[in-house]
Amino acid sequence: SVPPGIYNVSDLEAYTFNDLIEKNRCKRQIIFPKVVIKSLYYISIIFCMNKLKDNLIKLLSDSIYSSKKIRKHVNYNFGLNDI
């Protein structure tokens, strides 16, 4: 039984953006320099565009979260290649 709480469910392995592109067989990518994303972020702060700011934070962060807490209660051995 898993106690109530907030859990991050993820693989043991951290995947790169290129791993996800390859897995999804993306044919096209739109590449923006990081300076463009950061500039948009600062503009969103100045003009109080909170939704845009939140989405840009996701693009600028690494978004790697540990799943150690849930693994104390549940054991699974699936990965990106098992999908």
Side-chain angles (χ1 to χ4, degrees):
S1 175
V2 178
I6 297 173
Y7 298 96
N8 295 309
V9 179
S10 61
D11 296 350
L12 287 173
E13 183 179 344
Y15 299 105
T16 65
F17 183 73
N18 287 334
D19 292 335
L20 299 175
I21 293 286
E22 185 179 306
K23 178 66 180 171
N24 290 315
R25 297 185 189 111
C26 292
K27 294 180 177 99
R28 287 186 243 165
Q29 294 179 42
I30 300 174
I31 299 172
F32 292 99
K34 197 169 189 174
V35 68
V36 171
I37 304 296
K38 282 187 176 182
S39 299
L40 285 173
Y41 172 73
Y42 291 119
I43 290 169
S44 70
I45 291 172
I46 292 169
F47 292 104
C48 298
M49 303 165 88
N50 292 330
K51 204 172 239 190
L52 178 61
K53 182 182 82 170
D54 291 343
N55 286 328
L56 291 169
I57 288 171
K58 293 174 189 175
L59 288 173
L60 292 169
S61 64
D62 63 8
S63 301
I64 297 175
Y65 303 100
S66 174
S67 59
K68 289 179 185 175
K69 185 177 173 184
I70 189 68
R71 288 187 182 276
K72 292 177 188 173
H73 307 286
V74 177
N75 186 19
Y76 60 91
N77 295 318
F78 299 103
L80 182 65
N81 296 319
D82 297 323
I83 298 174

